[in-house]
Amino acid sequence: VMEFLEYDSKENFQRMVDLQDRLKFVYEHYTTEKIDYEDPVRCKELLRSITTEGFAKLLLLDRIPADSKFYDEILFRLVILFYSPDTMHQYLIRQCLTVFFSVFSSAPQEHHLQSIQKIFIRCFRAILEADSEAVAHIDNLQLCSFLLSLTQPTEDSSLFSLRCEIHQQTAIAFAD
């Protein structure tokens, strides 16, 4: 959880600690797999997957305001996590994020598409300036194709003009 959010006050830090405790409780009581605390790698994987799913649901259900400073940051982190080689064999995370991005991009809320546009260039900068080996190994072309597919205009879409506009603005941003 600490990886996803910054804390700017003692109260926010305490809320994040409480959130982590609640996620642990939910995972232990509402999943079929129990956390094996003796295996730190498996424990970390399971907590990471439940945290990822939690943040995906928060974004999808608009429980985090779109104008919050955390909204785009969480979306950015989910994209990087989805393409990170570190999660290649973490199927729960990959499955969750595959479904999340499909539903998130096809939802009728305009701010979903606008957020994808906001993080588009940022994702490429993060890869080019990566200080982590895992992030540096993300394929830019594959990531570009994925992000463009999320905003692909379709005639039956209620947000057709917005999707076209996002593609135009993204092309201009790349040209700059």
Side-chain angles (χ1 to χ4, degrees), residues 41-99:
V41 173
R42 182 76 177 137
C43 182
K44 182 180 176 182
E45 263 182 39
L46 293 173
L47 286 175
R48 193 177 191 187
S49 67
I50 194 72
T51 304
T52 301
E53 184 177 347
F55 280 116
K57 286 180 179 180
L58 288 171
L59 290 181
L60 198 56
L61 298 172
D62 290 324
R63 297 294 188 232
I64 298 174
D67 58 353
S68 164
K69 68 178 182 177
F70 299 122
Y71 194 89
D72 293 337
E73 179 66 24
I74 293 170
L75 184 60
F76 166 76
R77 297 278 183 172
L78 291 178
V79 169
I80 296 299
L81 187 64
F82 186 58
Y83 274 92
S84 173
D86 287 346
T87 62
M88 186 181 310
H89 299 292
Q90 294 178 7
Y91 301 109
L92 291 174
I93 290 176
R94 291 288 175 113
Q95 179 185 18
C96 170
L97 292 176
T98 299
V99 172

Side-chain angles (χ1 to χ4, degrees), residues 23-161:
L23 287 171
K24 184 177 172 184
F25 175 83
V26 167
Y27 196 83
E28 288 176 343
H29 292 88
Y30 298 106
T31 61
T32 55
E33 266 187 271
K34 298 293 182 195
I35 296 175
D36 179 11
Y37 293 105
E38 300 302 317
D39 182 1
V41 173
R42 182 76 177 137
C43 182
K44 182 180 176 182
E45 263 182 39
L46 293 173
L47 286 175
R48 193 177 191 187
S49 67
I50 194 72
T51 304
T52 301
E53 184 177 347
F55 280 116
K57 286 180 179 180
L58 288 171
L59 290 181
L60 198 56
L61 298 172
D62 290 324
R63 297 294 188 232
I64 298 174
D67 58 353
S68 164
K69 68 178 182 177
F70 299 122
Y71 194 89
D72 293 337
E73 179 66 24
I74 293 170
L75 184 60
F76 166 76
R77 297 278 183 172
L78 291 178
V79 169
I80 296 299
L81 187 64
F82 186 58
Y83 274 92
S84 173
D86 287 346
T87 62
M88 186 181 310
H89 299 292
Q90 294 178 7
Y91 301 109
L92 291 174
I93 290 176
R94 291 288 175 113
Q95 179 185 18
C96 170
L97 292 176
T98 299
V99 172
F100 164 73
F101 286 120
S102 174
V103 174
F104 186 81
S105 65
S106 62
Q109 291 90 338
E110 289 185 16
H111 66 272
H112 286 193
L113 296 173
Q114 291 164 341
S115 293
I116 293 170
Q117 179 190 7
K118 286 179 196 172
I119 66 162
F120 203 102
I121 300 296
R122 184 173 172 207
C123 288
F124 290 102
R125 285 195 183 122
I127 293 168
L128 295 175
E129 300 167 358
D131 54 357
S132 159
E133 189 174 317
V135 175
H137 282 90
I138 295 174
D139 183 3
N140 272 331
L141 182 59
Q142 189 179 15
L143 180 63
C144 179
S145 297
F146 173 71
L147 291 173
L148 284 174
S149 73
L150 293 179
T151 59
Q152 184 66 38
T154 55
E155 289 187 32
D156 62 332
S157 171
S158 62
L159 301 172
F160 180 77
S161 61

